[in-house]
Amino acid sequence: MTNAVAVEPAPLVWARSCAAVASFPPPRRRRAAGAIRASTASGRTEGAGELPAPLLPNARRRGRDPLWHGGGFSLGVDLGDARTGLAVGRGITLPRPLTVLKLRGQKLELTLLDVARQQEADELIIGLPVSADGRETPQSNKVRSVVGRLAVQAAQRGLRVYLQDEYGTSTDALEYMISRGVKKSARDTQSDAYAAVMILKRYFTSSGQGAKIVLPRQPELQDKLIVQSRQDAEI
């Protein structure tokens, strides 16, 4: 079972779990077991529903404070049923595609964390599939299931995980590859990595405003994320 919740400054999205943390209120409406639940954030907040600064995505912290030079790179992830595209960036220049993984389950999750460390990333920005009107799809639940497990393992390593709307990024990736002269044969094999580039580009362009953090429910892991983020900012 997943012990993580997705949260943003206003709404809170609950993933499957065994128990809730006292810092967050329980969901008000009953839904089927394993369903995604929404509630209002409280507890660990600053101001009107704002997350503690160390839990904000790097892009948002840089947008709020141009003098803040903390934070590492961001690893963009385009999760698929068979292939997962990766890209990396810091928001200074365009993100760059890394690779396409053909892994699933725990092997995929552990590889994502290893790549994040290799690339000196302190946050993972994972695309969330939604429809044109912003509604979630069956694929959204699949992604949330993976991300919920990943967030717990990531927090144990001091890494933060965020969800970012990825609607239209596949089309954007194709247009981007064509504009850069990527050959058709290469486009077929690299499209997922370029989709991850577009996820990061959207994240940086919006200064992280649409990114929702996925928090472990364990208070000790939440504290670890805060401490690690503060330590990274001091380096």
Side-chain angles (χ1 to χ4, degrees):
M1 279 186 147
T2 300
N3 289 308
V5 293
V7 63
E8 59 181 333
L12 175 85
V13 181
W14 294 69
R16 290 184 301 175
S17 70
C18 298
V21 173
S23 301
F24 299 100
R28 295 181 181 177
R29 291 182 294 179
R30 300 178 109 188
R31 299 183 68 176
I36 305 301
R37 299 186 176 104
S39 181
T40 303
S42 65
R44 286 178 178 271
T45 57
E46 293 179 352
E50 181 70 332
L51 286 169
L55 295 181
L56 292 175
N58 292 340
R60 194 178 306 176
R61 295 189 71 179
R62 295 187 186 111
R64 288 181 10 166
D65 182 5
L67 298 180
W68 184 74
H69 299 295
F73 285 87
S74 304
L75 183 69
V77 182
D78 178 50
L79 278 175
D81 290 332
R83 306 193 309 180
T84 296
L86 303 182
V88 68
R90 204 162 185 263
I92 300 173
T93 59
L94 282 174
R96 61 183 177 86
L98 283 179
T99 188
V100 176
L101 302 175
K102 296 181 180 180
L103 302 172
R104 301 180 67 179
Q106 188 175 25
K107 286 186 177 180
L108 172 62
E109 294 158 18
L110 292 176
T111 300
L112 289 176
L113 298 177
D114 288 341
V115 172
R117 278 304 187 197
Q118 292 167 10
Q119 297 296 323
E120 298 182 355
D122 60 357
E123 62 179 15
L124 289 80
I125 311 299
I126 302 177
L128 179 67
V130 295
S131 59
D133 60 3
R135 296 183 181 181
E136 295 196 11
T137 67
Q139 188 64 26
S140 305
N141 285 336
K142 293 182 181 179
V143 169
R144 284 188 180 278
S145 179
V146 174
V147 172
R149 295 191 303 269
L150 180 65
V152 175
Q153 298 178 75
Q156 291 169 349
R157 303 190 186 196
L159 303 174
R160 289 164 283 114
V161 175
Y162 300 87
L163 288 170
Q164 171 69 49
D165 169 12
E166 69 169 23
Y167 175 74
T169 51
S170 294
T171 300
D172 294 341
L174 177 59
E175 294 176 352
Y176 183 70
M177 286 187 289
I178 292 174
S179 70
R180 293 179 67 87
V182 178
K183 295 181 178 179
K184 187 178 185 306
S185 58
R187 295 201 298 265
D188 293 338
T189 59
Q190 298 176 19
S191 59
D192 299 279
Y194 278 93
V197 168
M198 294 298 104
I199 290 170
L200 278 186
K201 183 174 181 292
R202 179 173 298 176
Y203 163 70
F204 289 125
T205 300
S206 65
S207 295
Q209 292 298 322
K212 304 178 182 68
I213 192 169
V214 183
L215 282 175
R217 287 177 176 267
Q218 297 92 326
E220 63 273 17
L221 289 181
Q222 295 179 23
D223 291 338
K224 185 172 184 176
L225 286 176
I226 292 175
V227 171
Q228 184 66 51
S229 180
R230 286 173 175 162
Q231 290 177 345
D232 291 343
E234 293 172 358
I235 298 177

